[in-house]
Amino acid sequence: MKKPKRASAAKAKKGPKTSAGRSKVAPKRLAESRAKGPAKGPAKLPARRGASAAGGAKGAMKPAVNATIRDLRSKLKGALRRVAELEAAADTDFLLEIPNRRGFERELARAVAYMKRYRASGALIVLDVDRLKPINDSFGHAAGDEVLKAIAATLTRQIRASDVVGRLGGDEFALLLWNLSETDAKAKAAAFEQAVDELSFVFRGQHVSAGASAGVAPLGVQSDATRALEEADAAMYVRKAHRRHEPRIRLVSS
């Protein structure tokens, strides 16, 4: 009968120990957790500060980036403008400010392509100054340049805005004329010759005239730019042979 009492006494004694152990551990863990503080709070604060700093840095860099972009765009526009100027200079005769051979041949090729596609017509005239070399030999190249400038201005006044006059080189000019027959083109070539023949210059107190010979090649659907230049050039030399009876250079005292 005494054994059950001992067992119950042992259980009663064990119970308070367990309760006391729990009560002692709980305050200790609570104190430790309070000392450490919230685990998530401090970890987030540096991240927020970093994001804010990054945003501020981006905001500060944006005006600088925009300024750089504007500067690059301005430089690109300037470079493109310079390229266009160089291309135009490469196609322009520096003395007469009309297309040189390269520029004129490009215009002629475009015109022939257009005529083939739209069944248009026109004419090519090659004009050679008859007495430029004697003028250069007698009065110098500055005098010859003045003659060339006057001829270029005269031819430009004789054509329409859609037509093109260029210098093939030396004393040779070429004219691209739109929408006229071969007969009209030959009449136009004669008018060019007369206009140049009537030009008069005074060098060192002497009156000088130059003169010109012109050859014609019709342009149309079947035309080829290179062949048309050859035909007009050959016709010009035939015309020049017919004019050789004229004096090479006419000098009259002022």
Side-chain angles (χ1 to χ4, degrees), residues 8-20:
S8 61
K11 289 181 181 179
K13 188 176 182 180
K14 188 176 180 180
K17 286 184 179 179
T18 304
S19 175

Side-chain angles (χ1 to χ4, degrees), residues 130-195:
D130 289 333
R131 294 181 289 273
L132 184 65
K133 187 179 185 302
I135 292 174
N136 283 331
D137 294 343
S138 300
F139 305 105
H141 288 277
D145 291 346
E146 184 176 336
V147 171
L148 291 174
K149 289 179 181 179
I151 292 174
T154 299
L155 296 177
T156 301
R157 287 194 299 268
Q158 297 279 331
I159 62 175
R160 299 161 294 182
S162 59
D163 300 332
V164 181
V165 57
R167 183 186 182 188
L168 298 182
D171 55 359
E172 195 170 60
F173 292 84
L175 299 104
L176 170 62
L177 309 177
W178 285 88
N179 300 323
L180 76 171
S181 64
E182 185 176 358
T183 301
D184 293 337
K186 289 181 178 179
K188 195 68 176 175
F192 291 148
E193 289 181 349
Q194 183 179 354

Side-chain angles (χ1 to χ4, degrees), residues 52-62:
S52 177
K58 289 181 180 179
M61 291 175 61
K62 190 173 182 180

